[in-house]
Amino acid sequence: MNRKTLVLTAVAGLLAPVLAGCGGAEGGSGGDAAIVVGTTDQVVATKEVPAPLDPASTYDTSTWNVIRQTLQTLMAVPRGGGVPVPEAASKCAFTDNEDESYRCTLREGLTFSNGDPVTADDVKFSIERVVDINDPNGAAGLLNNIDAIDTNGDLEVIFHLKTSDATFPYKLATPIAGVVNPKQYEAKKVRKGFDVDGSGPYTLKAEVKNDKVTKIVFTKNPKYKGALKVNNNKVERITFDDPDTMGKALDKGDIGVMLRTMSPEQIKTMTEHPRDDIDLTEMPGLEIRYLAFDTSAPSVKNKAVRQAIAYSVDRNKLVNDVYGTTAESLYSLIPSGISGHTNSFFNQYGDPSLSKAQTVLRNAGIKTPVEFTLNYTTDHYGPATKKEFQTLQSQLNATGLFKVQIKGTEWSAFRPAEVARKYEVFGMGWFPDFPDPDNYVAPFLDKGNFLNSPYVSAETQNLLIPESRKEANRADASDTFGRIQDIVARDVPVLPLWQGKQYVASRDDITGVEWAVNSAAEVNLWELGRGSS
């Protein structure tokens, strides 16, 4: 029997909104037996990042997937994709024609897990706290368009925006906008360690060794009131050092679900040699991988060098040699499946061309070989990352135009070094905060971008991004996003490489797997249950 399941998950604009569920915390199944999930995602506290689970101090998929189980947000993207729907709120809407005033009314009777009531003042505190702390490891930039926040009584909160922003409801659905209790979180200081307390579907308790989370127990929050239906009473999240160890635990039945990140070899084996007791779920992915450049670094400061690299990289060979059928070549920051996607890099550079790379360097007077180091993280994007960068190194060096070294670093040190601009060229992945083209553009190109890139396109920042946000119908902004992608292809502050699919493996008595991880790699543990899959 072939146990592989293909899930055609909806992405932005393809399906009308479908509410993820209703009825709050009641309805858990499976008794008290915990559903055990495995992951290779690391949650680590370091000197540079002492508060990895504080919504003001983190901005990566692994930590956000912990926070989203425990902190509640005003809005939530429904399980099938589409526009956000109310979650902690009972209703939210723009109240002006310019999309500059956004008003939300909280559900009545909301409480934090300790019993304290959730009020509009708590929402205001939570979001202003993120902006005020402005942690370089966080995502305060998502909220930089907020001009002021007002409250009206205990249930109503009004956001006044500096400029029109049709994407604002999506931003309120991200963990950066998670509601925290002022009694447990200081206004001007991050909450160090691994405690998270909120009003979401679960409470959590983390087990830690050497400042690394080894296990998290999520227990259904009996006080939760919101749009989500919680289908289990407890979930245990076990962290593994590598996919092979995680896979062996699934084979033995020590875990019921294998989440991020499976290796290409594991996926190939499960596809070609399926087992009756294990399901492999495949879904479209909105994950992208790319090279980023410190455009102030001497080796790649000249645009011609970056363009020559764009002429030299063979994406198709990279994907085929390293990732096989689990990925596909990408020629834009905005992936296929998102409105506004174009193939700007292919239009600009076509297939790899040594002669064109030589010409662009010669015309700019660049002495070859150009020397630099490709930096990558060893433990954040999966076990194939090293092979990917070895392949890139080989491709570039084979041209004779470059002399490239590679260096791998653990994520806990890699991310702070990248933000501090200690790398000339480095590899990164991106899982969208929300499935909208804006989220593949603004985080890289807008003021306060999360890469801390020195690259500036005044046209993009001052004209195109603001113009795109005025379009309530996001498809109407496609031409604007096309222009942005053309600018990126011309200047090459980043070089898109590939777009990946999402995979989850599970024992055949686990249900809800197809909804527990979406195309943006968001994990929704409340969807998991026990029964017949």
Side-chain angles (χ1 to χ4, degrees):
M1 179 184 298
N2 191 334
R3 306 293 294 183
K4 181 178 177 181
T5 303
L6 176 63
V7 180
L8 299 178
T9 306
V11 294
L14 297 184
L15 290 181
V18 180
L19 192 61
C22 59
E26 60 270 56
S29 62
D32 294 326
I35 294 175
V36 185
V37 303
T39 181
T40 58
D41 282 345
Q42 304 290 320
V43 178
V44 184
T46 65
K47 180 180 179 181
E48 295 83 4
V49 189
L53 294 180
D54 187 321
S57 183
T58 188
Y59 195 16
D60 69 76
T61 302
S62 59
T63 51
W64 273 25
N65 276 335
V66 175
I67 293 172
R68 73 175 70 253
Q69 317 304 320
T70 307
L71 297 186
Q72 200 171 12
T73 51
L74 290 173
M75 303 291 285
V77 175
R79 60 152 51 160
V83 299
V85 295
E87 213 294 75
S90 62
K91 60 181 179 179
C92 287
F94 284 106
T95 57
D96 67 322
N97 293 330
E98 300 299 322
D99 289 350
E100 293 181 358
S101 181
Y102 196 72
R103 187 181 301 260
C104 291
T105 302
L106 290 176
R107 294 175 184 268
E108 294 188 6
L110 287 182
T111 65
F112 292 105
S113 58
N114 68 355
D116 291 342
V118 177
T119 68
D121 285 336
D122 296 327
V123 175
K124 174 181 168 71
F125 168 86
S126 300
I127 294 179
E128 289 182 340
R129 173 179 180 270
V130 171
V131 175
D132 290 343
I133 291 175
N134 195 23
D135 193 304
N137 300 298
L142 286 176
L143 306 175
N144 62 11
N145 195 33
I146 297 176
D147 188 37
I149 305 175
D150 291 331
T151 60
N152 180 22
D154 287 339
L155 297 181
E156 193 169 66
V157 57
I158 305 98
F159 300 92
H160 303 283
L161 307 182
K162 299 173 185 176
T163 59
S164 301
D165 188 1
T167 71
F168 189 67
Y170 286 101
K171 295 170 183 177
L172 292 182
T174 66
I176 195 71
V179 183
V180 300
N181 190 335
K183 294 180 181 179
Q184 296 167 316
Y185 292 78
E186 296 185 46
K188 305 291 185 180
K189 187 184 298 184
V190 296
R191 185 178 183 180
K192 296 181 180 179
F194 303 95
D195 292 327
V196 187
D197 295 280
S199 56
Y202 295 99
T203 61
L204 73 77
K205 182 178 181 181
E207 296 181 12
V208 180
K209 182 178 181 181
N210 297 327
D211 292 323
K212 290 186 178 183
V213 170
T214 58
K215 178 180 178 180
I216 297 177
V217 178
F218 295 97
T219 302
K220 186 171 71 174
N221 176 14
K223 300 183 183 298
Y224 169 70
K225 293 182 179 180
L228 307 174
K229 179 181 178 181
V230 184
N231 292 314
N232 56 69
N233 294 316
K234 184 179 292 185
V235 177
E236 295 181 0
R237 174 191 184 273
I238 308 295
T239 302
F240 292 88
D241 291 332
D242 57 80
D244 288 341
T245 306
M246 180 170 61
K248 291 176 182 177
L250 182 71
D251 290 341
K252 294 189 295 183
D254 293 339
I255 63 174
V257 182
M258 186 160 63
L259 298 174
R260 292 171 21 100
T261 300
M262 298 172 62
S263 70
E265 292 78 13
Q266 285 176 320
I267 295 166
K268 182 179 180 181
T269 298
M270 290 186 180
T271 301
E272 296 179 351
H273 305 284
R275 287 175 44 173
D276 287 345
D277 57 341
I278 292 179
D279 296 341
L280 178 65
T281 303
E282 173 189 314
M283 61 202 75
L286 298 179
E287 168 193 9
I288 69 170
R289 298 286 179 86
Y290 59 95
L291 292 180
F293 300 91
D294 177 355
T295 55
S296 66
S299 63
V300 294
K301 183 176 182 179
N302 193 308
K303 178 171 63 177
V305 175
R306 306 193 300 271
Q307 290 174 333
I309 294 172
Y311 277 122
S312 301
V313 169
D314 188 335
R315 292 171 177 81
N316 290 337
K317 183 171 176 54
L318 174 70
V319 168
N320 289 336
D321 290 353
V322 181
Y323 293 101
T325 61
T326 67
E328 59 185 22
S329 297
L330 179 65
Y331 296 91
S332 168
L333 273 177
I334 301 175
S336 62
I338 294 289
S339 63
H341 164 77
T342 66
N343 288 314
S344 293
F345 271 83
F346 188 83
N347 297 338
Q348 177 78 23
Y349 300 98
D351 292 323
S353 173
L354 175 59
S355 63
K356 291 179 181 179
Q358 291 170 328
T359 299
V360 74
L361 290 175
R362 183 173 58 250
N363 290 345
I366 302 297
K367 182 181 178 181
T368 58
V370 179
E371 298 185 22
F372 58 86
T373 299
L374 283 176
N375 290 274
Y376 67 94
T377 177
T378 58
D379 60 345
H380 196 65
Y381 297 123
T385 307
K386 181 178 180 179
K387 184 178 179 181
E388 176 182 352
F389 277 79
Q390 289 172 334
T391 303
L392 287 169
Q393 178 191 32
S394 177
Q395 288 186 8
L396 293 173
N397 286 347
T399 66
L401 302 176
F402 306 100
K403 186 177 180 181
V404 176
Q405 305 293 324
I406 61 172
K407 182 180 178 182
T409 305
E410 289 187 356
W411 178 254
S412 58
F414 178 91
R415 173 62 173 156
E418 175 267 305
V419 172
R421 297 184 186 168
K422 294 183 178 180
Y423 299 147
E424 305 159 292
V425 189
F426 53 96
M428 293 284 284
W430 182 253
F431 299 87
D433 307 317
F434 48 89
D436 185 274
D438 180 89
N439 197 239
Y440 288 93
V441 169
F444 305 96
L445 305 173
D446 208 356
K447 299 172 184 177
N449 64 81
F450 99 107
L451 291 176
N452 192 29
S453 172
Y455 169 79
V456 175
S457 164
E459 180 182 2
T460 299
Q461 287 187 359
N462 301 330
L463 176 63
L464 297 176
I465 290 177
E467 283 295 322
S468 72
R469 290 173 174 169
K470 293 179 181 179
E471 300 292 352
N473 182 346
R474 304 305 289 147
D476 291 342
S478 293
D479 289 345
T480 303
F481 285 114
R483 173 60 184 155
I484 293 172
Q485 290 167 88
D486 288 344
I487 291 172
V488 172
R490 180 196 68 197
D491 294 346
V492 202
V494 296
L495 181 65
L497 295 174
W498 56 267
Q499 174 179 350
K501 302 174 184 177
Q502 295 293 315
Y503 294 88
V504 180
S506 59
R507 306 291 299 190
D508 63 356
D509 65 333
I510 303 297
T511 61
V513 175
E514 67 273 24
W515 302 114
V517 180
N518 64 21
S519 58
E522 296 174 352
V523 174
N524 306 312
L525 295 178
W526 53 84
E527 296 282 4
L528 296 174
R530 292 190 185 277
S532 175
S533 63

